[in-house]
């Protein structure tokens, strides 16, 4: 369940030994200014990078950076939509948040193709359907920012192998941002 900013997970027997309720609250919300980015990086994010992978190990604040990018693009009057499972990004009211909890990949893909947002932020790419959706949206020129678990930048690109053809990867990803300890470690 998503109850305001709190993600609530309820697990019942027989999946668990007992009834378990976990409530996760947002730890910290940062703006793009909090990252103290060089003007060249801001220029890249604003005008040049259109198909971005945000990668890093679990717990490195990739989603926090993606959330800061959402607000960065909204401030530029861009139409931004998110894909999340569950919907737990804290974003401005102008942003529409979609969830696979309520619609399959094919339906969300069709909605995005019809509505043509300037940016779609996808938190988190996990399975083969996600990679196929990434490729489909990218090849229709929808600008994408996708969060993916990877312990180094090349691993994030290698995760595409087996889901899309090797020769297509450079056509669907133009920028990889590696996050480590809430900082941009590598681009």
């Amino acid at each position: 369940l998503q109850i305001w900013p709190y993600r609530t997970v309820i697990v019942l027997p027989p999946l668990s030994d007992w009834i378990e309720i976990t409530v996760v609250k947002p730890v910290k919300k940062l703006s793009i200014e909090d990252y103290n980015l060089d003007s060249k990086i801001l220029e890249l994010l604003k005008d040049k990078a259109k198909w971005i992978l945000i990668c890093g190990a679990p717990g490195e604040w990739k989603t926090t950076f993606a959330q800061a990018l959402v607000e960065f693009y909204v401030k530029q009057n861009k139409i931004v939509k998110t894909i999340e499972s569950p919907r737990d990004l804290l974003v401005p009211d102008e942003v529409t948040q979609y969830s696979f909890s309520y619609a399959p990949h094919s339906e969300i893909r069709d909605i995005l193709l019809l509505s043509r947002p300037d940016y779609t932020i996808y938190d988190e790419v996990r399975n083969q359907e996600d990679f196929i959706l990434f490729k489909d949206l990218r090849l229709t020129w929808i600008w994408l920012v996708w969060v993916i678990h990877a312990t180094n930048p090349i691993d994030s690109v290698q995760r595409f192998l087996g889901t899309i053809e090797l020769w297509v990867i450079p056509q669907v990803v133009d920028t990889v941002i590696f996050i480590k300890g809430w900082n941009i470690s590598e681009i």
Side-chain angles (χ1 to χ4, degrees), residues 108-166:
I108 290 177
R109 181 196 64 231
D110 291 347
I111 290 169
L112 290 170
L113 292 174
L114 291 170
S115 62
R116 296 281 182 180
D118 294 316
Y119 284 91
T120 299
I121 313 296
Y122 191 142
D123 185 39
E124 297 196 8
V125 178
R126 291 189 178 102
N127 56 47
Q128 186 169 9
E129 285 182 304
D130 296 339
F131 287 99
I132 292 168
L133 179 60
F134 182 95
K135 180 186 75 168
D136 288 349
L137 294 175
R138 163 52 186 101
L139 294 176
T140 60
W141 291 91
I142 291 176
W143 298 340
L144 305 166
V145 177
W146 292 45
V147 177
I148 188 168
H149 285 290
T151 55
N152 60 57
I154 194 66
D155 285 351
S156 67
V157 175
Q158 288 177 335
R159 295 215 30 218
F160 281 86
L161 297 176
T163 58
I164 61 175
E165 296 80 14
L166 180 61

Side-chain angles (χ1 to χ4, degrees), residues 25-91:
K25 68 176 185 170
V27 177
K28 191 169 191 171
K29 185 174 180 181
L30 298 173
S31 70
I32 204 76
E33 292 81 16
D34 293 323
Y35 288 89
N36 298 315
L37 300 176
D38 181 86
S39 61
K40 289 182 182 181
I41 295 173
L42 288 173
E43 177 85 14
L44 173 76
L45 294 172
K46 183 178 178 185
D47 297 322
K48 296 179 182 151
K50 304 300 181 196
W51 303 286
I52 302 169
L53 282 181
I54 298 172
C55 63
E60 293 292 343
W61 297 36
K62 301 173 297 298
T63 298
T64 303
F65 182 72
Q67 187 168 289
L69 270 182
V70 168
E71 292 184 7
F72 175 70
Y73 292 132
V74 167
K75 286 179 184 175
Q76 296 173 44
N77 294 318
K78 302 292 184 189
I79 298 169
V80 180
K81 300 184 186 264
T82 68
I83 304 172
E84 308 161 63
S85 288
R87 290 185 303 229
D88 61 352
L89 286 175
L90 301 175
V91 297

